[in-house]
Amino acid sequence: MKKLLLIPGVLVAGGLLYAIPSFGHGSVATPQSADSRAGTEAAADGAAVQAALPGLTTTKVTLAAGLPYLTPGYNGTPTYSRVATAVAPDGTFRVAWTDGKSVHVTSLTKGLKRSGADTVVPNAAEVGGLIAHNGGFALLTRRPDTNKWHETAAYLVRYQGGKQKFAAKLTGASSHDTSPTLGSALAWNGTKYGAYFIVHGAGGFADGHFGDKLAYVTSAGKRASGGWSWGCSHNEGIALLPEKSGPFASLCFEDWRSGLFVSTGIGAPNNAPVLQREQCWAGYCGGAFGGFVRSSAGRYAAVFTSRGAASAKPSGDGRGYTVKAKWATHQVAIHFLKNKSTPTGKTVYLTADPKTDHVNVHAAPYGPNRILVSWQSVANASCKAGTCTGRFTGTHLRLADYSGTWVSKDTVVKAQIAGDIAVLPNHDLVWASVNAAPNYASPLAKSPRSRTLTVARLSYKG
């Protein structure tokens, strides 16, 4: 196992020193401001505790097939293929990834070493969410289906002891829907699963349109009550958190209503609670989710990229807003909710550098009252039609609290993040990705592949 000590300005690995970008320590900054140094970006240090993050350890895992770890996203922007990491109650791990034809679930020991051969889920087109169980897992994915659009159907599959326990089909002819892409979230509260994903109308009132669906499934693979068949339309981003009882907490980005909203179910009414207005058009929204977390006190926080709103006016057709973006680039933003359906205050911008694009944002709870926020910076950004090109300058890790204030120094690491982050009972964080720096200088033409995953563990320090 390789030990990485996170020291501002220096990366120590295997006894060798590597220089990493350094950042200026200016005067105390509000959460809405940020300093830019040498083409990279970091918010200025706050007056409170500003310590470096504790050590990050990494382990290499050899894969049984090639993982296409980057794919062309909107306008060809390099986008990470989702690699989901989850921890089981017994402390072992599952990592889900795709070889382009099937989904592999790799089991790891408590020490993050491979434990046996992969469980291969055949004809699975996407990693849509992963829950780890003792001796098994549940995976949200897509499988081939017969329908008028010749598109895939959404499935929740559960494996136990290497064998399929159930395969619950969540779209189909009876519900007049398909799922050609999931863009999804999967949650588990110990009794039932919540699967929140994109759907395409295949007959009925929504034929040919895109919306979203929230389905609840029991531990035995049977559909449970609740959820909805048609919500945000078009859905450009999904977030879901489990609740001990009642509906799960859910958020969506929607291009029609132009922004980030609390998901309210059938029809996604125009009066749904608004977290942030964004410039959006068909198939695009200026914001993208990084994480949806909850503090020990029950306060919720949505972390996302945002281009801000210089102005937002009703569109005049009774539905949606016309939004003028504040920035051409994307900034790291956070918005708080006092409960699962009530936003509070305004969006807090953790960065505000118009010359730097912020992409691949991820967030996870770091202990009871802090949030790990990660992003990749793209310096000297040139932006057009909602996307930017520029020079990749690093993956950033930093802690924020539930008031939207930085409480650690910005640390640049070599480890990438490509999907779901597992949270351990002791508050350590674990994730897996291909440790290869992306190139944001131009659109991606071909998906590169790797036969190695890097599993990273960030130690918790209270």
Side-chain angles (χ1 to χ4, degrees), residues 293-301 336 364-372 399-403 407 423-429 460-462:
V293 300
R294 179 172 45 217
S295 72
S296 60
R299 195 175 193 202
Y300 296 72
F336 299 98
Y366 185 85
N369 299 306
R370 286 176 287 173
I371 306 164
L372 176 75
L399 298 179
D401 63 17
Y402 280 81
S403 68
V407 291
V423 182
L424 279 64
N426 70 349
H427 306 304
D428 283 6
L429 301 179
Y460 171 72
K461 184 178 181 181

Side-chain angles (χ1 to χ4, degrees), residues 116-204:
D118 294 347
T119 299
V120 181
V121 182
N123 298 317
E126 185 176 343
V127 177
L130 178 70
I131 303 295
H133 298 293
N134 292 343
F137 61 87
L139 172 74
L140 180 60
T141 190
R142 296 183 286 117
R143 282 179 161 172
D145 193 22
T146 301
N147 52 68
K148 64 177 290 184
W149 299 104
H150 306 289
E151 293 172 340
T152 50
Y155 275 85
L156 178 64
V157 297
R158 180 166 177 176
Y159 276 69
Q160 199 70 26
K163 296 182 179 180
Q164 182 176 289
K165 183 177 180 180
F166 67 72
K169 188 179 181 183
L170 305 181
T171 58
S174 62
S175 52
H176 301 295
D177 54 11
T178 69
S179 189
T181 184
L182 289 170
S184 52
L186 179 66
W188 164 254
N189 70 354
T191 302
K192 66 181 180 181
Y193 304 95
Y196 188 17
F197 54 95
I198 294 170
V199 291
H200 187 203

Side-chain angles (χ1 to χ4, degrees), residues 59-127:
T59 302
K60 299 289 186 181
V61 177
T62 300
L63 303 181
L67 161 62
Y69 60 91
L70 287 174
T71 58
Y74 191 80
N75 285 343
T77 300
T79 303
Y80 282 90
S81 297
R82 185 172 181 177
V83 177
T85 307
V87 60
D90 63 7
T92 60
F93 295 88
R94 313 286 177 266
V95 179
W97 54 278
T98 179
D99 64 9
K101 296 180 180 179
S102 302
V103 170
H104 294 242
V105 178
T106 303
S107 292
L108 305 177
T109 67
K110 295 179 181 179
L112 301 179
K113 301 291 186 179
R114 174 183 279 279
S115 176
D118 294 347
T119 299
V120 181
V121 182
N123 298 317
E126 185 176 343
V127 177

Side-chain angles (χ1 to χ4, degrees), residues 9-54:
V10 176
L11 179 70
V12 185
L16 299 177
L17 300 182
Y18 300 87
I20 60 176
S22 60
F23 304 97
H25 292 220
S27 59
V28 175
T30 66
Q32 292 81 11
S33 67
D35 289 340
S36 178
R37 298 291 187 268
T40 58
E41 175 282 329
D45 290 345
V49 177
Q50 288 285 325
L53 290 171

Side-chain angles (χ1 to χ4, degrees), residues 53 293 303 362-366 370-374 396-400 406 408 417 421 429 431 458:
L53 290 171
V293 300
V303 180
H362 291 278
Y366 185 85
R370 286 176 287 173
I371 306 164
L372 176 75
V373 182
S374 174
H396 302 248
L397 300 179
R398 199 166 189 184
L399 298 179
W406 290 127
S408 80
I417 302 180
I421 300 172
L429 301 179
W431 65 86
L458 181 66

